[in-house]
């Protein structure tokens, strides 16, 4: 029988003292819509199923700046490791109760990281023209337009205005942001990649503009209605540990 899902906690369940990968996520905007678990389930990797809250799962559109991607304990790369990124993600849990996310697409503006992600790790990276622009001290605009492999021209234009700080996240806000791993497939095998970072500094945000077709391009229905949650964060540094197979055994 599948294990009971682990509790949603604001801090990672385990530290990662010897990271495989380090990076910082800056100027993040999280936009979420409710989704039917039946629509999401066929898009998840083997060993993962939709994670739900009161019977509902969610699809997230997350736009941000990747900063200083680095391997092991080496310093982050200053140019190739800095770029805008926008991902479409789902919420997952496996038979061991490990909660995580599944990335359906990851648009990035640097071609070399895209090639490394696609060819080296089999992740759905897409090369896109992208920009993150601060309109003023509370308003940010994110733009993206796909180059390769497409669909060419698909993209986003999001503008958000930061509001009040979140001192006590709601159950939904906690569910959508306190994620300590990723379910995926590497070299043909389903794996779980753990991550750790400080608690999110979160702000509720107003969505001023949202023109996007990345959700549909990822194989999901057009989002129904307005987003159920829009959040902004100035960002956190993150560390990724070694991937684990579905049985929970770390890879060599």
């Amino acid at each position: 029988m599948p294990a009971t899902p682990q509790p949603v906690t604001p801090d990672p369940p385990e530290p990662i003292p010897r990271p495989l990968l380090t990076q910082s996520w800056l100027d993040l905007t999280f936009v979420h819509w409710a989704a039917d678990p039946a629509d999401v389930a066929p898009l998840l990797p083997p060993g993962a199923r939709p994670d739900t809250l009161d019977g509902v799962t969610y699809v997230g559109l997350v736009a941000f700046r990747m900063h200083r991607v680095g391997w092991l304990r080496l310093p982050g790369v200053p140019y190739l490791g800095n770029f805008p990124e926008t991902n479409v993600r789902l919420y997952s849990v496996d038979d061991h109760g490990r909660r995580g996310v599944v990335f359906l697409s990851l648009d990035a503006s640097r071609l070399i990281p895209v090639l490394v992600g696609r060819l080296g790790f089999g992740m759905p990276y897409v090369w896109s023209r992208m920009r993150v622009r601060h309109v003023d001290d509370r308003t940010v605009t994110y733009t993206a337009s796909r180059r390769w492999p497409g669909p060419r021209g698909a993209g986003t234009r999001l503008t958000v205005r930061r509001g009040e700080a979140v001192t006590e996240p709601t159950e939904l806000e906690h569910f959508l942001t306190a994620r300590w791993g990723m379910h995926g497939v590497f070299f043909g095998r389903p794996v779980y990649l753990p991550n750790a970072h400080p608690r999110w500094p979160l702000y509720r945000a107003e969505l001023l503009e949202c023109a996007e077709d990345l959700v549909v391009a990822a194989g999901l229905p057009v989002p129904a209605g307005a987003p159920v949650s829009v959040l902004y964060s100035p960002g956190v540094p993150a560390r990724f540990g070694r991937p684990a197979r579905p049985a929970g055994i770390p890879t060599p």
Side-chain angles (χ1 to χ4, degrees):
M1 292 292 293
T4 301
Q6 295 174 347
V8 179
T9 60
D11 299 302
E14 296 181 4
I16 300 177
R18 299 175 61 189
L20 177 67
L21 186 67
T22 62
Q23 55 195 239
S24 291
W25 307 321
L26 306 178
D27 290 324
L28 296 95
T29 288
F30 303 85
V31 181
H32 284 94
W33 294 269
D36 187 333
D39 293 331
V40 165
L43 302 176
L44 300 183
R49 62 186 187 276
D51 196 6
T52 61
L53 180 64
D54 297 327
V56 178
T57 193
Y58 296 86
V59 55
L61 185 69
V62 184
F64 61 102
R65 289 190 298 116
M66 187 77 82
H67 182 67
R68 289 275 187 171
V69 177
W71 293 99
L72 305 174
R73 297 187 180 184
L74 299 174
V77 181
Y79 175 74
L80 292 177
N82 298 340
F83 48 88
E85 182 171 319
T86 298
N87 61 60
V88 176
R89 73 186 199 181
L90 304 176
Y91 294 84
S92 52
V93 63
D94 61 25
D95 289 343
H96 299 274
R98 297 173 299 196
R99 288 185 144 115
V101 299
V102 171
F103 293 109
L104 297 185
S105 63
L106 303 103
D107 286 65
S109 64
R110 293 267 188 262
L111 178 58
I112 290 178
V114 167
L115 293 175
V116 170
R118 290 185 68 89
L119 302 178
F121 298 96
M123 295 185 68
Y125 267 99
V126 180
W127 185 33
S128 297
R129 295 182 179 88
M130 307 185 76
R131 187 181 182 190
V132 179
R133 181 172 64 92
H134 285 263
V135 179
D136 54 44
D137 61 353
R138 295 176 57 208
T139 309
V140 188
T141 294
Y142 309 82
T143 56
S145 179
R146 286 188 172 173
R147 290 171 155 173
W148 176 85
R152 192 173 180 87
T156 59
R157 183 176 177 85
L158 301 175
T159 301
V160 297
R161 179 183 293 127
R162 188 184 75 240
E164 62 182 8
V166 177
T167 55
E168 291 291 337
T170 66
E171 186 179 15
L172 176 59
E173 290 167 343
H174 198 38
F175 179 88
L176 297 173
T177 59
R179 293 280 146 174
W180 306 114
M182 178 188 75
H183 292 104
V185 177
F186 296 137
F187 303 108
R189 293 183 175 182
V191 295
Y192 178 79
L193 188 68
N195 71 72
H197 58 72
R199 292 191 180 192
W200 286 109
L202 292 172
Y203 296 80
R204 296 193 176 96
E206 179 185 2
L207 187 61
L208 303 179
E209 180 181 17
C210 181
E212 69 83 25
D213 50 11
L214 297 185
V215 171
V216 172
L220 289 162
V222 175
V228 297
S229 175
V230 182
L231 296 169
Y232 173 83
S233 176
V236 291
R239 300 157 73 90
F240 286 86
R242 292 189 300 161
R245 299 190 183 100
I249 304 171
T251 56

